[in-house]
């Protein structure tokens, strides 16, 4: 039996939500389904609902899998869901997908109506567009990105059309949007949110959490990260994240299809001290940069991505040498002031990381020698 999301569906697909209550494994599956391209199957922000079964019979069904990076896994998961009692009658509505290069915004969301369980609002994470990757870096600042602003509007709009409580979540940037929207929606809507799921989603700067009332929602957040998490530990605000096993290594663990699920639940583990120390160094470095330095550094990275000439990460991957050469070429043309900024930033991170390693070694020596 597969030890992943599809295996979970095969094992518990005959259990209705009344028999087996909605859980984080279900939230992960729906967060992953939000990556599918519903554009040709559903009118944008339409209140008209369509079941997953009906999607299968639609003329544009194959367009759902337009993101070729995960086409095989996405197809396997959805088609397994369509054969199950638990998921096949789920209905979807209020789909939105906006990509605006000028505004550096890539935003998508969809609402799932579940028989016998609360509705689930899912925010899509970073898609395959270069715009999406450029937008991600703006999340390190203290200003809300365009997608975050739209997320709070979306959740308010949907809440006005559905009744009762609901859940919200997402993977990667989608997890961040779920938390941001929960902090910034109207007080009446905020009271209706049952649980907020963030699957390896980055956090926020401390000043942002304080300004937007993180304490009001933190007890409703379920944060899940893989054991070698990078994205989900960036500016992380939740020290109590559930850590799960993955069959992949390093940054490849960001892909939820690599997370191990056995017996109906994600297999939990712990972060290593070394990994936690490395991520803490990275976060400390990000927070050590002043607003001007951080803004300039983000601009350099975004211009490098934009200057590659690729429109999507799929293009970038298929002709990586071509697009990487463009990035290298552009980096050589940086002015002296920008080069110094990059060098200073790299040195700053290395100094912080070295200091933490040195302190760790000192503590270990004291334990051994007693001095």
């Amino acid at each position: 039996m597969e030890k992943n999301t599809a295996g979970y569906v095969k094992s518990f697909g005959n259990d209705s939500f009344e028999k087996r209550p909605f859980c984080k494994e279900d939230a992960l599956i729906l967060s992953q389904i939000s990556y599918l391209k519903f554009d040709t199957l559903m009118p944008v922000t339409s209140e008209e609902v369509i079941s997953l079964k009906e999607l299968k019979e639609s003329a544009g069904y194959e367009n759902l899998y337009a993101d070729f990076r995960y086409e095989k896994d996405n197809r396997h998961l959805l088609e397994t869901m369509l054969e199950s009692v638990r998921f096949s009658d789920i209905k979807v509505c209020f789909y939105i997908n906006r990509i605006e290069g000028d505004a550096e915004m890539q935003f998508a969301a969809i609402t799932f109506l579940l028989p016998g369980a609360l509705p689930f609002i899912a925010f899509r994470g970073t898609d395959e567009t270069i715009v999406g990757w450029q937008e991600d870096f703006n999340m390190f600042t203290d200003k809300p990105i365009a997608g975050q602003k739209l997320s709070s509007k979306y959740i308010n709009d949907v809440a006005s059309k559905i009744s009762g409580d609901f859940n919200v979540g997402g993977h990667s940037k989608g997890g961040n949007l779920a938390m941001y929207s929960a902090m910034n929606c109207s007080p009446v809507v905020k009271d209706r949110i049952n649980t907020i799921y963030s699957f390896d989603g980055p956090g926020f700067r401390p000043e942002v959490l304080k300004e937007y009332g993180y304490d009001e929602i933190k007890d409703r957040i379920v944060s899940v990260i893989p054991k070698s998490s990078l994205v989900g530990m960036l500016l992380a605000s939740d020290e109590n994240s559930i850590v799960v096993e993955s069959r992949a290594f390093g940054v490849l663990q960001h892909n939820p299809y690599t997370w191990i699920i056995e017996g109906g639940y994600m297999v939990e583990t712990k972060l290593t001290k070394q990994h936690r120390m490395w991520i803490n160094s990275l976060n400390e470095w990000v927070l050590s940069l002043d607003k001007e330095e951080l803004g300039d550094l983000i601009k350099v990275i975004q211009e490098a991505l934009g200057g590659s000439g690729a429109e999507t990460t799929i293009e970038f991957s298929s002709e990586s040498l071509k697009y990487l050469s463009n990035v290298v070429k552009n980096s050589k043309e940086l002015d002296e002031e920008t080069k110094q900024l990059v060098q200073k930033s790299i040195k700053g991170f290395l100094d912080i990381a070295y200091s933490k390693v040195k302190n760790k070694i000192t503590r270990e020596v004291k334990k051994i020698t007693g001095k």
Side-chain angles (χ1 to χ4, degrees), residues 65 120 125 152 156-157 169 178 185 201 203 234 251 269 304 320 322 330 341 367:
Y65 308 112
F120 185 83
S152 55
N156 281 332
D157 289 345
C185 61
L234 293 174
V251 295
T269 184
S320 56
K322 170 187 172 182
N330 291 336
L341 168 66
K367 286 181 182 178

Side-chain angles (χ1 to χ4, degrees), residues 45-262:
T45 66
S46 172
E47 295 181 34
E48 181 181 353
V49 298
I50 181 172
S51 70
L52 293 183
K53 285 180 180 176
E54 292 174 300
L55 289 178
K56 178 71 172 179
E57 299 166 2
S58 300
Y61 174 73
E62 286 298 319
N63 295 330
L64 286 171
Y65 308 112
D67 184 348
F68 299 113
R69 299 173 303 168
Y70 306 110
E71 184 271 335
K72 184 177 179 180
D73 287 326
N74 286 340
R75 183 185 296 275
H76 181 45
L77 176 60
L78 180 58
E79 295 192 346
T80 302
M81 292 168 67
L82 293 174
E83 296 173 359
S84 73
V85 172
R86 188 174 184 82
F87 295 99
S88 60
D89 287 330
I90 288 177
K91 294 179 171 58
V92 291
C93 54
F94 303 115
Y95 176 66
I96 180 173
N97 183 24
R98 289 176 58 180
I99 300 172
E100 299 176 7
D102 293 341
E104 291 180 349
M105 179 179 73
Q106 171 258 311
F107 175 86
I110 192 166
T111 299
F112 296 91
L113 304 179
L114 285 63
L118 298 178
F120 185 83
I121 294 176
F123 292 102
R124 181 184 293 172
T126 307
D127 67 7
E128 75 280 8
T129 62
I130 294 297
V131 171
W133 286 96
Q134 288 176 314
E135 180 190 42
D136 287 352
F137 292 99
N138 289 328
M139 299 174 77
F140 293 119
T141 70
D142 60 352
K143 297 179 181 179
I145 62 174
Q148 288 173 331
K149 292 179 181 178
L150 193 53
S151 72
S152 55
K153 180 181 185 305
Y154 179 86
I155 203 172
N156 281 332
D157 289 345
V158 171
S160 70
K161 305 291 175 57
I162 60 176
S163 60
D165 292 348
F166 59 91
N167 296 314
V168 59
H171 166 257
S172 191
K173 180 173 66 179
N176 177 278
L177 296 181
M179 289 189 288
Y180 182 91
S181 64
M183 288 190 289
N184 289 275
C185 61
S186 73
V188 174
V189 172
K190 187 179 299 185
D191 288 342
R192 293 169 54 192
I193 299 174
N194 184 65
T195 305
I196 303 145
Y197 296 92
S198 176
F199 298 104
D200 211 26
F204 305 84
R205 298 180 69 89
E207 57 267 36
V208 174
L209 295 175
K210 184 176 180 180
E211 180 180 355
Y212 295 138
Y214 173 74
D215 287 346
E216 295 179 36
I217 67 164
K218 67 178 183 180
D219 292 337
R220 286 177 277 174
I221 295 175
V222 173
S223 172
V224 181
I225 59 175
K227 63 181 180 181
S228 292
S229 171
L230 170 61
V231 177
M233 292 187 70
L234 293 174
L235 300 181
S237 50
D238 188 358
E239 290 292 325
N240 299 313
S241 293
I242 298 168
V243 183
V244 299
E245 287 283 5
S246 168
R247 67 174 187 273
F249 297 94
V251 295
L252 295 179
Q253 292 186 6
H254 186 56
N255 178 359
Y257 284 121
T258 72
W259 299 1
I260 299 175
I261 301 176
E262 285 186 302

